[in-house]
Amino acid sequence: MKYLFIWLVVFSVLVGCQSSLSPDVLPMLGSPQIDQNGDSVAHTIPDFSFVDQDSNLVTNETFAGKAYVADFFFIACPTICPKTAKQMLRIHDYFKDDARLELLGHTLAPKYDTVAALNRYARNLGVSSKKWHFVTGDQATIYKMAPEYMNVALEDSDAPGGINHSGYLILVDKNRHIRSFCNGTDPEDVDRFIKDIEKLLNEK
Amino acid sequence: MKNSIACLLLATFFVWTSCDQYPYQQGKILYTNFCENCHMADGSGLKALIPPLAGADYLSKNGAAIPCIIRNGIKGEMTVNGITYNTEMAGVERLTEFEITNIINYIHTSWGNDLPIVEHLQVREWLKPCEKNVKPF
């Protein structure tokens, strides 16, 4: 009888942990905000307007009714960016034919990563702006967007390449809420992230 | 007595197995620290941006140029396995000729590569053209 009780506890803890580890519905991430009516709403990506590798204007409207994966990088980045790009490419290939998902890479070095440079970069990766936008714009505006996507970006002359930044990939839903993230240099974490994306796309 | 024999056997076993698994341990560590970010843990590179080291024809065709590429970097167009690359690679000046030798041997024996082992005296010769940072290219 005593053992039955212990097993029950173990069982419920296991089940409890499981469901919190992989909930059926992805959580809303980031700190909640207060809207005009004084109600608390999940963190929401603010309005933005950038230009991509084909000189297209990219705004929130570009992703209307779609989910997207966002990250921050720069072409000459000697540290984590190539690894992160490789993982973004995996996600790109996995959801290639699924129009419900797009990708958005922000350059942190807009001075060098011009539209022409981003165009060459995208071509060398073999991807199109129909699916994966590499955007540039006003440097201060881009740096202000990074924390909105739970990323860190700082100019730092001591960092390799002159920019200190984190390589998180962020999943944003069609209502501009952050629903999942992963470390873009860790292929196993990205495996889990891909499952999260599928979960989001299958949400009603 | 019995104990020390057992210890000796155990030690031999560990040395033997670790040597067997990673013949170029230092090369592997240096590769992880200085090259893996770009050329990837599996040597696959990145599309037409960063050339592969796994199965790269460049390695067998241009063996003598590799030490200087590692020390000084390289820029301009290059063709690897039929794909043209044109991205700058920065060199790692602080690597000694021994370390460069170990990295090359790690690359030569990893990811299915089966290229000849290079000796450090050979690497010293190959480094001559780029001594004192005189770019060989």
Side-chain angles (χ1 to χ4, degrees), chain A residues 35-93:
Chain A
D35 69 7
Q36 301 101 312
N37 308 326
D39 293 330
S40 166
V41 288
H43 174 70
T44 308
I45 301 297
D47 287 346
F48 59 81
S49 171
F50 298 119
V51 175
D52 77 7
Q53 71 266 36
D54 288 328
S55 299
N56 301 315
L57 198 66
V58 175
T59 69
N60 312 73
E61 280 310 301
T62 310
F63 305 105
K66 294 184 180 204
Y68 65 98
V69 175
D71 80 336
F72 293 81
F73 80 108
F74 57 108
I75 295 175
C77 159
T79 53
I80 56 176
C81 306
K83 281 188 172 174
T84 311
K86 189 124 190 169
Q87 296 306 316
M88 282 289 273
L89 199 59
R90 267 184 67 202
I91 297 170
H92 170 275
D93 292 349

Side-chain angles (χ1 to χ4, degrees), chain A residues 9-184:
Chain A
V9 171
V10 171
F11 178 74
S12 51
V13 167
L14 276 179
V15 173
C17 288
Q18 282 250 303
S19 57
S20 70
L21 274 178
S22 55
D24 282 337
V25 177
L26 297 171
M28 302 275 177
L29 303 176
S31 20
Q33 301 160 337
I34 307 294
D35 69 7
Q36 301 101 312
N37 308 326
D39 293 330
S40 166
V41 288
H43 174 70
T44 308
I45 301 297
D47 287 346
F48 59 81
S49 171
F50 298 119
V51 175
D52 77 7
Q53 71 266 36
D54 288 328
S55 299
N56 301 315
L57 198 66
V58 175
T59 69
N60 312 73
E61 280 310 301
T62 310
F63 305 105
K66 294 184 180 204
Y68 65 98
V69 175
D71 80 336
F72 293 81
F73 80 108
F74 57 108
I75 295 175
C77 159
T79 53
I80 56 176
C81 306
K83 281 188 172 174
T84 311
K86 189 124 190 169
Q87 296 306 316
M88 282 289 273
L89 199 59
R90 267 184 67 202
I91 297 170
H92 170 275
D93 292 349
Y94 194 95
F95 294 99
K96 207 180 193 128
D97 302 319
D98 193 332
R100 295 172 298 173
L101 188 82
E102 294 193 9
L103 295 92
L104 172 62
H106 305 75
T107 175
L108 291 170
K111 209 159 52 173
Y112 304 100
D113 297 352
T114 56
V115 168
L118 292 172
N119 186 287
R120 198 171 83 91
Y121 182 80
R123 260 188 293 126
N124 282 332
L125 269 182
V127 303
S128 136
S129 65
K130 288 201 187 82
K131 186 84 185 168
W132 191 349
H133 307 271
F134 293 99
V135 295
T136 182
D138 173 56
Q139 173 150 341
T141 313
I142 298 174
Y143 276 64
K144 255 188 254 154
M145 283 309 287
E148 299 287 350
Y149 289 102
M150 310 201 307
N151 266 270
V152 176
L154 295 165
E155 278 192 290
D156 176 358
S157 50
D158 289 336
I163 300 170
N164 199 338
H165 69 117
S166 48
Y168 288 109
L169 313 185
I170 304 296
L171 176 63
V172 181
D173 71 12
K174 57 179 187 286
N175 300 317
R176 302 190 190 183
H177 298 313
I178 297 178
R179 305 299 296 278
S180 183
F181 69 96
C182 69
N183 174 352

Side-chain angles (χ1 to χ4, degrees), chain B residues 58-59 61-74 89-105 107-108 118-131 133-134 136-137:
Chain B
Y58 198 91
L59 292 170
K61 288 185 189 153
N62 305 284
I66 308 299
C68 282
I69 293 182
I70 296 177
R71 178 158 287 175
N72 284 340
I74 187 167
M89 166 177 154
V92 189
E93 266 176 46
R94 76 169 97 153
L95 295 175
T96 65
E97 75 192 25
F98 285 98
E99 290 171 329
I100 292 177
T101 308
N102 280 338
I103 295 182
I104 293 176
N105 284 329
I107 293 170
H108 278 190
V118 297
E119 302 282 337
H120 89 272
L121 286 174
Q122 178 69 74
V123 169
R124 178 178 295 173
E125 279 305 306
W126 285 340
L127 279 169
K128 287 225 164 102
C130 53
E131 254 166 27
N133 286 331
V134 180
F137 303 106

Side-chain angles (χ1 to χ4, degrees), chain B residues 11-33:
Chain B
T12 319
F13 176 74
F14 277 125
V15 170
W16 181 71
T17 45
S18 55
C19 286
D20 193 46
Q21 273 173 331
Y22 303 117
Y24 294 99
Q25 188 65 42
Q26 190 201 31
K28 183 184 163 77
I29 293 168
L30 291 167
Y31 180 84
T32 306
N33 289 339

